Amino acid sequence: MSSSNHKVIIVGGGPVGLTAAHALWRAGINFTLLESRPSIVIDAGSNLVILPTGLRILSQLGLLESFNAASSPLGRIRRFDHEGNDIGDANFFVHHKENHGIAPRVVSRHDVTRVLHDSLPAAIQPRLLANKRVSSITTTPSSVTVTCTDGSIHRGSMLIGADGAHSFVRSQMRALALASHAPDSAINPAQPFLTTYRALWIRFPTHADLTPGDANETHGRDCAIQTFVGEETSVIGMYERLPAPTQDRLRYSAADEDAFVARWGDLPLSEEVTVRQAYESRVQAGMVSLEEGVVPNWSWGRMVLVGDAAHKFTPSTGAGCNNGMVDVVALVNEIVRALEGREDVERAFGEYQRARFEAVVDGCAGAGRATATATWMNGIFKFVDLHVMKRKAVQKMFMDRAAPMIASTPVLEFVEGGELLAGGKVPWAQGAQSRVAMAA
């Protein structure tokens, strides 16, 4: 099964979809990327934290230098309660660097998308198609046909759904499974995620009393804040617990944003700056639901899910985008094996989910616990936040226990080059090296 005779359709042009484009290009596999928005690179959305796992993927793709130029390293996190009292620093990012050789970095969604988009060769750029909203997907045992609302038709041998938490690809997989009278265990729920929190993000000019490079958190009952301070602009993400969890899709207006700030505007971002000050000087803002959960079935036939389409985390640990990037690595490794005749496509998709599922379930649960702790969901979480997690020894123990799983994340097996992220205390389980070197 030669890769030159096959084409992958990627639905979704965010960071995870663009990572898939890079991986397929490096593997020599033809692809077309369909993005529903008018432009793939847009100036919207909150910031993302890219952890060592994501940075290692970017280094393998040759993008680490350009990404570093667009992002800022993260270290100590200063923590306050709702009254502005110091509740102890968090050094999780510091321990990431100690264990894995590189510090996490924060970047705007616009900038990471720009780096991924612009670094694809000019000859590949025509394969990235914006303003392509998918309206239907049909499949055969060996092909996938995608029709867009503009009437265009795109055919391939398989499809990667990187189209987010409200994935159209996932809904089409479910419809096809129902139409084929598949067993209940093979049919995903119509609404696979549960929403316990909503978020308001605000981008605002960096206040004179904020220091570029700082990361602050504000913790307390029912609402927590993460603040990332940049040279020119800063971003906050505020996470508010809903009155009751829901599986319904919620949409928010500017009036909802104003009401959110009316409730929480006096909360401190630092000793001198409040939420209200940030909101009143905002450059951009938006309000979204924070869905959580893991979809039971990540593939159907020739369609497969990655990133938020397959699993959705709260953003407290910064793990969502990183796990989507690791999904791409694990998936494209399996696709390469399938196209080389070592396994069929559906088996490859199953092996991909089996390789990733446990880590994703653990990561989703960990993100949920972090958000519950920061928002003092109950007295136990409050006690842990104020009296346990402030202890440096506990933080180090927590990160040291997580380090082996982090170090076990896969690399692209077909990309040549040695390990670029060395020097951490915990060696990467799978070295970044070429298949030629591995074969030798």
Side-chain angles (χ1 to χ4, degrees):
M1 192 183 295
S2 170
S3 62
S4 62
N5 298 325
H6 290 266
K7 181 178 183 179
V8 178
I9 298 172
I10 306 167
V11 178
V16 174
L18 287 170
T19 301
H22 273 272
L24 292 168
W25 166 58
R26 288 299 193 101
I29 300 172
N30 191 16
F31 70 88
T32 294
L33 183 148
L34 308 175
E35 166 57 43
S36 63
R37 294 176 177 177
S39 175
I40 291 175
V41 181
I42 60 171
D43 190 14
S46 186
N47 282 9
L48 300 171
V49 173
I50 306 300
L51 302 171
T53 48
L55 294 169
R56 191 171 185 231
I57 294 167
L58 293 172
S59 75
Q60 253 209 309
L61 296 173
L63 304 180
L64 192 57
E65 183 177 352
S66 56
F67 176 80
N68 285 350
S71 61
S72 301
L74 292 168
R76 179 191 64 155
I77 303 170
R78 301 175 65 207
R79 303 190 314 149
F80 306 93
D81 66 14
H82 283 189
E83 285 69 48
N85 300 310
D86 186 337
I87 59 173
D89 295 344
N91 290 320
F92 300 116
F93 296 145
V94 174
H95 294 308
H96 266 301
K97 184 176 182 179
E98 292 173 351
N99 288 337
H100 306 293
I102 192 168
R105 301 183 71 90
V106 63
V107 65
S108 71
R109 184 175 295 272
H110 169 271
D111 285 345
V112 69
T113 305
R114 174 181 54 79
V115 168
L116 288 163
H117 177 275
D118 293 355
S119 56
L120 285 165
I124 302 298
Q125 293 287 334
R127 303 183 194 178
L128 310 176
L129 306 179
N131 212 22
K132 295 291 182 181
R133 182 173 295 278
V134 176
S135 58
S136 69
I137 302 171
T138 59
T139 67
T140 73
S142 60
S143 68
V144 178
T145 300
V146 176
T147 302
C148 296
T149 55
D150 63 2
S152 61
I153 297 174
H154 308 271
R155 296 182 174 87
S157 53
M158 63 191 83
L159 182 151
I160 297 175
D163 52 338
H166 304 291
S167 170
F168 182 79
V169 173
R170 189 180 65 234
S171 71
Q172 292 295 285
M173 286 170 46
R174 182 175 189 274
L176 290 170
L178 287 167
S180 71
H181 304 291
D184 289 347
S185 61
I187 301 172
N188 287 325
Q191 301 293 341
F193 300 141
L194 184 69
T195 301
T196 304
Y197 303 89
R198 56 190 161 209
L200 174 68
W201 63 269
I202 305 169
R203 186 179 302 278
F204 61 100
T206 296
H207 194 279
D209 291 308
L210 295 175
T211 302
D214 274 1
N216 300 340
E217 292 190 356
T218 308
H219 294 191
R221 185 171 179 82
D222 293 336
C223 186
I225 307 171
Q226 291 181 308
T227 305
F228 298 104
V229 184
E231 292 287 344
E232 297 182 358
T233 63
S234 299
V235 170
I236 64 172
M238 303 182 63
Y239 314 135
E240 180 187 48
R241 186 181 297 109
L242 295 173
T246 180
Q247 289 183 302
D248 294 337
R249 184 174 183 178
L250 305 175
R251 299 179 185 274
Y252 299 99
S253 65
D256 293 318
E257 296 175 17
D258 291 341
F260 194 112
V261 175
R263 290 191 295 276
W264 304 108
D266 291 334
L267 295 187
L269 307 181
S270 69
E271 293 91 339
E272 304 293 338
V273 184
T274 65
V275 169
R276 183 169 287 104
Q277 288 173 286
Y279 187 67
E280 290 175 349
S281 64
R282 67 192 179 278
V283 177
Q284 295 172 320
M287 197 166 168
V288 296
S289 294
L290 298 181
E291 302 90 351
E292 298 175 77
V294 181
V295 176
N297 302 290
W298 295 5
S299 63
W300 177 264
R302 291 275 171 149
M303 297 185 288
V304 63
L305 305 174
V306 294
D308 287 355
H311 45 76
K312 188 68 167 60
F313 299 7
T314 62
S316 296
T317 59
C321 180
N322 294 272
N323 272 280
M325 296 169 74
V326 177
D327 287 351
V328 167
V329 170
L331 173 61
V332 177
N333 283 341
E334 294 294 341
I335 290 174
V336 168
R337 294 188 186 101
L339 297 186
E340 290 178 342
R342 290 186 278 165
E343 59 189 16
D344 63 44
V345 169
E346 291 189 27
R347 178 179 172 81
F349 290 170
E351 290 297 325
Y352 148 66
Q353 178 170 344
R354 279 187 285 275
R356 292 288 299 136
F357 199 79
E358 181 181 353
V360 163
V361 169
D362 287 347
C364 183
R369 286 192 298 270
T371 308
T373 302
T375 56
W376 298 357
M377 177 177 280
N378 57 38
I380 295 174
F381 281 110
K382 178 180 179 180
F383 179 85
V384 169
D385 192 44
L386 292 178
H387 303 291
V388 179
M389 294 311 297
K390 69 182 293 183
R391 298 181 180 276
K392 301 299 186 289
V394 172
Q395 295 173 19
K396 185 176 186 303
M397 178 187 69
F398 181 85
M399 295 305 294
D400 286 349
R401 287 183 175 179
M405 178 173 285
I406 294 169
S408 70
T409 53
V411 292
L412 294 166
E413 297 169 357
F414 47 84
V415 174
E416 296 184 0
E419 182 62 67
L420 296 179
L421 298 188
K425 293 190 304 183
V426 182
W428 297 101
Q430 181 182 357
Q433 54 188 338
S434 70
R435 283 195 293 168
V436 173
M438 287 191 287

